[in-house]
């Protein structure tokens, strides 16, 4: 009976902690406040850093990769090294986020990259910045983009019974951070750009769009390049994805 009572008490405490966190996130008005909330709720487990964002596509520049971050309390020097050296595309945690939606401890990935130089280097250098232990929650956004929310520190412990709580907390904080990041600074498009963007989202080629809109294919290509520049995208797929994120496509 005592064991059952203790289990109920732990469950209620976990629920209370989660509801307290959600209330704090709702009150947060800046990304910094959201990041602080994320770190504070995970601090009792030993975590001291948080990073969350949309997973960049291959070929994106360092600046574009950084622009995908929506929430962070991460060592600045490590972030600079990580993005300028293109470590993201060798990072085993990113590879796992792209492959599965199940939360995971970084230590669980070690057997998958132990004999592979690039990911071993990334994880080894992360330890130099006291990021040797981490827990990541993969997510899929409403428009189909892959995202991740990571907690990290030099040492931490995540009991299996708390993984669900951390997953809920991560998803709620990420959604709030995403909404904050894209609620301001609207992208202004011309009517012609909007027309072409809409047909791009329908999967039409430049030639097909030119026929539909009765304009030259050269003009469609030119405007498609303008759209990539305005949306800080590297290709057609990313242009559409970012436009969806900004609610530019209905």
């Amino acid at each position: 009976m005592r064991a059952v009572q203790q289990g109920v008490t732990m469950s209620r405490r976990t629920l209370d902690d989660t509801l307290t966190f959600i209330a704090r996130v709702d009150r947060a008005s800046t990304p910094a406040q959201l990041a602080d909330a994320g770190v504070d709720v995970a601090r009792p487990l030993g975590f001291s850093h948080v990073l969350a964002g949309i997973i960049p596509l291959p070929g994106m520049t360092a600046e574009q990769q950084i622009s995908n971050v929506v929430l962070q309390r991460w060592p600045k020097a490590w972030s600079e090294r990580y993005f300028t050296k293109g470590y993201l595309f060798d990072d085993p945690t990113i590879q796992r986020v792209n492959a599965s939606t199940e939360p995971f401890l970084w230590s669980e990935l070690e057997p998958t990259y132990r004999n592979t130089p690039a990911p071993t280097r990334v994880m080894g250098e992360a330890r130099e910045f006291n990021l040797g232990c981490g827990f990541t929650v993969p997510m899929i956004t409403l428009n189909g983009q892959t995202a991740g929310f990571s907690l990290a520190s030099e040492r931490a412990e995540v009991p299996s019974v708390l993984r669900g709580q951390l997953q809920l907390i991560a998803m709620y904080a990420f959604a709030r951070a995403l909404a904050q990041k894209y609620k301001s600074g609207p992208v202004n498009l011309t009517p012609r750009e909007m027309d072409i963007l809409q047909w791009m989202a329908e999967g039409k080629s430049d030639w097909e769009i030119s026929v539909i809109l009765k304009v030259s294919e050269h003009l469609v290509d030119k405007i498609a390049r303008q759209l990539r520049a305005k949306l800080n995208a590297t290709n057609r797929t990313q242009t559409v994805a970012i436009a969806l994120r900004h609610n530019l496509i209905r």
Side-chain angles (χ1 to χ4, degrees):
M1 177 65 74
R2 179 174 297 178
V4 173
Q5 290 175 339
Q6 288 176 344
V8 171
T9 300
M10 288 294 290
S11 177
R12 287 175 178 169
R13 184 181 304 146
T14 298
L15 177 60
D16 288 343
D17 290 345
T18 301
L19 292 175
T20 298
F21 172 79
I22 288 174
R24 181 174 174 185
V25 167
D26 286 340
R27 292 193 302 270
S29 58
T30 66
Q33 291 175 352
L34 281 173
D36 287 342
V39 170
D40 288 347
V41 75
R43 201 181 302 279
L45 300 176
F47 292 112
S48 54
H49 301 284
V50 62
L51 182 74
I54 303 292
I55 304 302
L57 298 174
M60 291 183 69
T61 65
E63 291 74 17
Q64 290 170 327
Q65 293 175 38
I66 292 170
S67 71
N68 276 17
V69 173
V70 299
L71 190 67
Q72 70 166 318
R73 274 286 180 273
W74 217 242
K76 183 178 180 181
W78 172 237
S79 291
E80 291 175 351
R81 181 190 299 185
Y82 185 90
F83 289 114
T84 57
K85 290 184 176 292
Y87 281 177
L88 183 142
F89 302 110
D90 292 321
D91 188 338
T93 69
I94 300 300
Q95 294 170 9
R96 174 59 69 88
V97 167
N98 284 329
S100 172
T101 56
E102 289 296 317
F104 59 90
L105 289 165
W106 294 359
S107 59
E108 296 169 355
L109 304 183
E110 187 174 353
T112 68
Y113 67 82
R114 186 178 296 143
N115 299 318
T116 310
T120 298
R121 181 182 66 249
V122 172
M123 300 305 283
E125 291 186 21
R127 294 187 184 94
E128 298 174 15
F129 296 87
N130 297 323
L131 299 175
C133 179
F135 180 76
T136 295
V137 177
M139 290 170 276
I140 303 294
T141 67
L142 291 176
N143 54 25
Q145 292 178 291
T146 304
F149 182 104
S150 292
L151 297 164
S153 64
E154 184 175 9
R155 295 185 188 86
E157 185 175 343
V158 181
S160 58
V161 295
L162 293 183
R163 285 197 178 199
Q165 181 197 19
L166 286 181
Q167 184 177 23
L168 174 61
I169 284 171
M171 295 177 74
Y172 194 84
F174 178 80
R176 187 81 168 88
L178 201 63
Q180 281 191 359
K181 184 176 179 68
Y182 296 108
K183 72 178 181 180
S184 59
V187 177
N188 296 314
L189 301 181
T190 66
R192 179 63 78 190
E193 287 173 335
M194 288 293 295
D195 286 341
I196 289 177
L197 179 62
Q198 193 70 42
W199 287 113
M200 286 171 60
E202 295 288 336
K204 302 297 184 183
S205 67
D206 286 355
W207 178 80
E208 290 173 320
I209 295 172
S210 71
V211 172
I212 293 169
L213 299 180
K214 296 181 173 59
V215 296
S216 71
E217 188 175 353
H218 172 74
L219 178 62
V220 175
D221 175 69
K222 177 182 177 181
I223 293 178
R225 284 187 278 110
Q226 289 174 189
L227 287 167
R228 288 199 296 272
K230 282 189 175 184
L231 296 173
N232 195 29
T234 58
N235 55 42
R236 199 181 195 88
T237 301
Q238 191 184 9
T239 299
V240 172
I242 294 173
L244 285 167
R245 196 188 304 164
H246 284 278
N247 296 317
L248 297 173
I249 297 171
R250 303 294 183 219

